[in-house]
Amino acid sequence: MTAAIATKGLTRQFGTVRAVDGLDLEVPRGTFYGFLGPNGAGKSTTIKMLTGLLAPTGGTMSVLGEDLTDRRKAREVKRRIGVVPENLALFDNLTAREYLTFIGRMYLMPPGVVRERTQELLTMMSLENEEKKLTMEYSHGMKKKLALAAALIPNPELLFLDEPFEGVDAVASRVLRDILKRVVERGATVFLTSHVLEIVEKLCTQVGVIAKGKLVYQGSMAAVRESGSLEETFIKAVGGDDHESQKLSWLES
Amino acid sequence: MNADWEQLKTILWLRWRLTTNQWRRTKGVGPALAIITAVAGVIITVAAGLGGFFGGVFGLATARPEVIMLVWDILVMAFLFIWMVSLITELQRSEMIDLSRLLHLPVSLNGIFVINYLTSLASLSVAVFLPAALGLSLGLLGSHGWRMALLPPLVLAFLFMVTAWAYHLRGWLMVLMVNPRRRRTVIVTMTMSLVLVAQLPNLFINVIWRPWQHKTAPPKLVAVPVPGSPTNGIMVTNGSLATNAPSPTNQLAVIDPGTQPNPWALYLQVHNYVPLLWLSKGAQGLADQRVWPAIWATLGALTIGLAGMRRAYVSTMRFYQGSESAGVAKPLTPAPVTGPPQRNFMERQIPVVPEEVAALSLAFFRSLSRAPEAKMAFLSNVIVIVVLGIMMISHPFPPPGDTAKLFIATGGALFSLLGPLQILCNQFGFDREGFRALVLLPVSRRRVLLGKNLALAPVVLALGFLLLVALTFMLHLTPLLVLAGLVQMGAFYLVLCVVGNFASSLAPYRMAPGSLKPSKVPAKTMVLIFLTHLLFPVLMAPAFLAPALAFGVNRWLGWPMGLVDVAASLVLLGLTTLFYSVCLNPLAGFLERREKDVLLVVSQEVE
């Protein structure tokens, strides 16, 4: 079986800046993959390319065995993936139910199925009582939950999540984690970026670390645990210096 | 194909839901306003169509071809003007259906592109122009015969040409505006271009055409044979124009005695080369029983429109799929450290002014100088000054007397205070989320207000000075009058500050970033904005006491007007300074009581 995601020398250049520089990535199907990296490392750019939001300037990539840069195939691949993009891509003047209905219809799902899944997702995400509110009136966490519900509604084979836990409260975070675990248990693949290393450590089976556009670490979570904690592996991989904070001597005065 | 159709239906449903929800959110007056707008829209559309039709049948039944051309020109110009205004308004808000929100979905981009184009046609300008133009075409068909049947296709081709290129322009500007700093520049440039374009007819008439000069030198009428012209028409000979024709073979030509080319001839020639005027050119040709201009115009407009559409399609697809860079900033190369860091703008001191007030005013000034809305407000003033200046120079006005100059100087000084009125009366609305920092500051609100007022002062006074200098060149104002004007401007800036500070705390409204468009303004605030502008002349009226006093003293005692004007202005400045200092503490207290409500209003993001 082909990998869920496979890239070879994937590159994206903006002017003189290489946001992603020759990325070789392989994510097997059924994996919970954590894609980590410091701010500005190229995580979101990679997700944008893998979801067809941004064209690469070099290299090759396949998603669910298909080339997403081929416009004829891109639409078919997109039918099989769910995405929670960085900016959430919600419509401010829609209610949660309307938004989920819209997404369901765009995936050409039968109206009865859309209705049923919408109700279940709204209940699970504790959004059913906020039904009359427009999404612009939602808190950041509620918007995140709605975006995830929208990504889940077509029951995708591959789920891309860009910072899904950022700004989400502990209760909602627990719900999201449980849902994502179930998604992976039924054989789907989850590819997520996050700054919350504890959550990645708990959820993911594979991790990759990107720094300055290059993949600097890739391995299983078991291998990470053998060599210490994820935090240590991450800092070592990106070349972080934990003595930097000692420079602000005036803080002690 | 079926999938595409299903998705297109879903997009249409989405647009409908977004619109109805937007109206629903405004509650109260919202639905009523929606109904009124819809009814008004229908009435305007029907009226435009009927007006055009009856105008064509009766009004233009016996009109000469050039008159028909002029009518079409007016219609086209009115349409283009309203179209541009709505285009700029559109640019200042986010797209109703932003393609980037759909790209991760399994959606047909071509379908969305077409839907977005078609929905861009749903505007007031098209709703008025299209029925009016089609009605006029049908009316002309009734009154001028079968040839006019070529007009409706020409109208549609013209509309396609304009809307396709506008769609391309909008897409291109949106690509540019992805970069937030460039976004500001784009909005300011577009708005200023619109203001300038709106002034073009004014400048054409007053500076190039100057019809009052033609009255003084009446043109000579001569009969000129027009070869190959079977009926009435116009003819240009040596830069002159024939405007009437008594017979099929001889026409009356208006020969301008001057050697300069006639503007009317120039105007006619322009129609050959400017595609936006081909509709009028085609209509003129058809009225003159020539069909080829209309056929060529239709084909030309269609070709240009298709080219625009193709460019719009290619650039939009390339941009949304990331093949086209929106201009990502290059990485900054750190400057070599050669010594202690340089003092930056924010570290400057202002003489006499307390440290906190200086810091506040410098921060406000820096922020305003980068805000496109502030630039637009001030630049509009400069443009008005320039246009007025050109008109005054080119018009043969009799030179004003000394008494008139006295009042003109005061009027000019006060006029410069009108531009920043909106900013002054909504000082916190432009801060948006930044106002939170002000609320958190451990600084007395008196100093906050002082900082706000001080930040605007240099720009307002500089503009006023510019205007007075311009007036001095044009009307030869004396230095004393200019000085008096400057003093009056300072005095009444203080009065405006008091009013502005009060209005800013009482009825703030959030300004949409990068525009002069308020977001979600309650009715009471609307009334207040209206009243502030209405009361502006009343508030400024006492400034005329100084020139009035100078005039009276000169009349009765014979003292020099300029000196008295300056002295009276200084007294006024003293009085307004006293008024300002007395009001500042109560205003600060009022702001302190209201600041949480102000914060709620100005920091609430509304689309």
Side-chain angles (χ1 to χ4, degrees), chain A residues 12 55 75 78 90 93 98, chain B residues 4 17 21 103 321-322:
Chain A
R12 175 68 216 199
R75 203 166 158 193
K78 283 180 182 178
L90 302 176
N93 281 304
E98 285 170 345
Chain B
D4 284 350
R17 286 308 307 170
N21 285 349
L103 272 176
Q321 294 191 323

Side-chain angles (χ1 to χ4, degrees), chain B residues 60 63 65-76 136 280:
Chain B
L60 298 174
E66 60 271 29
V67 174
I68 290 174
M69 185 186 77
L70 273 176
V71 169
W72 278 103
D73 274 347
I74 291 166
L75 191 62
V76 164
L136 185 57
S280 327

Side-chain angles (χ1 to χ4, degrees), chain B residues 39 127 169 210 248 276 301 332 432:
Chain B
V39 172
L169 175 72
R210 307 172 85 166
L276 291 173
L332 293 173
R432 295 181 280 271

Side-chain angles (χ1 to χ4, degrees), chain A residues 9-247:
Chain A
L10 189 67
T11 302
R12 175 68 216 199
Q13 189 149 347
F14 295 104
T16 55
V17 181
R18 279 199 171 192
V20 175
D21 190 1
L23 193 70
D24 295 333
L25 204 63
E26 182 148 336
V27 180
R29 289 188 191 230
T31 314
F32 207 132
Y33 193 92
F35 195 50
L36 311 174
N39 295 330
K43 300 187 297 289
S44 294
T45 306
T46 305
I47 283 205
K48 279 181 186 165
M49 287 193 282
L50 293 174
T51 53
L53 298 177
L54 192 66
T57 48
T60 59
M61 61 173 185
S62 87
V63 175
L64 297 173
E66 303 286 355
D67 180 5
L68 207 62
T69 52
D70 183 343
R71 275 179 59 187
R72 286 163 300 177
K73 289 180 184 162
R75 203 166 158 193
E76 220 28 68
V77 175
K78 283 180 182 178
R79 257 189 238 293
R80 295 159 62 196
I81 65 174
V83 186
V84 175
E86 191 183 20
N87 62 358
L88 301 184
L90 302 176
F91 287 97
D92 288 351
N93 281 304
L94 291 186
T95 63
R97 188 177 291 278
E98 285 170 345
Y99 184 64
L100 293 181
T101 308
F102 164 69
I103 297 292
R105 288 178 67 176
M106 292 305 281
Y107 276 85
L108 307 173
M109 291 162 61
V113 177
V114 175
R115 217 171 298 131
E116 196 182 311
R117 288 187 189 175
T118 297
Q119 187 55 51
E120 282 177 7
L121 284 164
L122 288 179
T123 310
M124 187 164 274
M125 301 285 183
S126 310
L127 292 172
E128 78 272 32
N129 295 328
E130 313 289 340
E131 222 183 289
K132 290 193 174 166
K133 277 188 182 173
L134 300 179
T135 56
M136 70 164 69
E137 293 161 316
Y138 279 12
S139 67
H140 185 67
M142 286 160 77
K143 285 182 180 174
K144 271 268 154 84
K145 287 197 279 185
L146 177 59
L148 183 66
L152 286 172
I153 202 167
N155 198 13
E157 291 172 48
L158 172 59
L159 202 51
F160 287 97
L161 312 168
D162 201 350
E163 298 288 352
F165 298 102
E166 191 192 37
V168 177
D169 64 65
V171 180
S173 168
R174 177 71 176 266
V175 174
L176 294 189
R177 275 186 284 154
D178 290 345
I179 294 170
L180 294 177
K181 273 183 192 166
R182 283 176 61 189
V183 169
V184 176
E185 277 166 14
R186 70 148 171 87
T189 310
V190 173
F191 184 93
L192 74 82
T193 70
S194 180
H195 286 295
V196 191
L197 297 182
E198 292 80 8
I199 290 179
V200 175
E201 205 160 7
K202 276 183 194 166
L203 283 176
C204 296
T205 51
Q206 291 263 330
V207 285
V209 180
I210 184 173
K212 293 176 184 167
K214 291 180 189 290
L215 193 69
V216 289
Y217 181 87
Q218 185 166 228
S220 70
M221 192 53 78
V224 170
R225 284 195 194 104
E226 269 174 28
S227 62
S229 69
L230 180 60
E231 188 179 0
E232 282 167 15
T233 309
F234 177 78
I235 291 174
K236 209 166 140 187
V238 302
D241 181 1
D242 50 1
H243 298 294
E244 280 288 319
S245 62
Q246 288 174 11
K247 284 181 184 167

Side-chain angles (χ1 to χ4, degrees), chain B residues 561-580:
Chain B
M561 281 200 289
L563 270 179
V564 180
D565 195 19
V566 171
S569 304
L570 284 170
V571 173
L572 273 177
L573 178 63
L575 288 173
T576 55
T577 309
L578 187 67
F579 173 68
Y580 179 71

Side-chain angles (χ1 to χ4, degrees), chain B residues 266-389:
Chain B
L266 182 70
Y267 182 68
L268 286 176
Q269 275 186 351
V270 163
H271 279 71
N272 291 329
Y273 307 109
V274 179
L276 291 173
L277 301 173
W278 286 351
L279 175 54
S280 327
K281 178 82 182 166
Q284 185 217 7
L286 291 172
D288 204 15
Q289 301 191 7
R290 287 177 290 123
V291 293
W292 283 109
I295 292 170
W296 284 122
T298 308
L299 291 175
L302 268 178
T303 311
I304 293 173
L306 282 171
M309 210 58 182
R310 186 181 150 70
R311 282 187 67 90
Y313 178 78
V314 171
S315 59
T316 307
M317 292 299 136
R318 285 183 66 195
F319 170 64
Y320 279 107
Q321 294 191 323
S323 308
E324 194 166 281
S325 167
V328 174
K330 287 182 182 174
L332 293 173
T333 321
V337 181
T338 51
Q342 296 276 313
R343 246 174 58 147
N344 66 32
F345 177 77
M346 288 303 301
E347 290 175 59
R348 285 169 196 266
Q349 300 290 321
I350 302 177
V352 195
V353 171
E355 175 75 15
E356 297 142 304
V357 178
L360 281 164
S361 63
L362 288 171
F364 295 142
F365 179 80
R366 182 38 61 93
S367 169
L368 275 176
S369 65
R370 287 175 178 156
E373 51 271 33
K375 284 181 193 165
M376 278 188 271
F378 290 118
L379 274 176
S380 306
N381 251 22
V382 174
I383 288 176
V384 169
I385 292 169
V386 171
V387 171
L388 277 178

Side-chain angles (χ1 to χ4, degrees), chain B residues 134-157:
Chain B
L134 290 178
L136 185 57
S137 307
L138 294 175
L140 288 171
L141 180 65
S143 61
H144 282 71
W146 64 270
R147 285 185 185 83
M148 287 291 176
L150 289 171
L151 260 182
L154 176 54
V155 167
L156 294 177

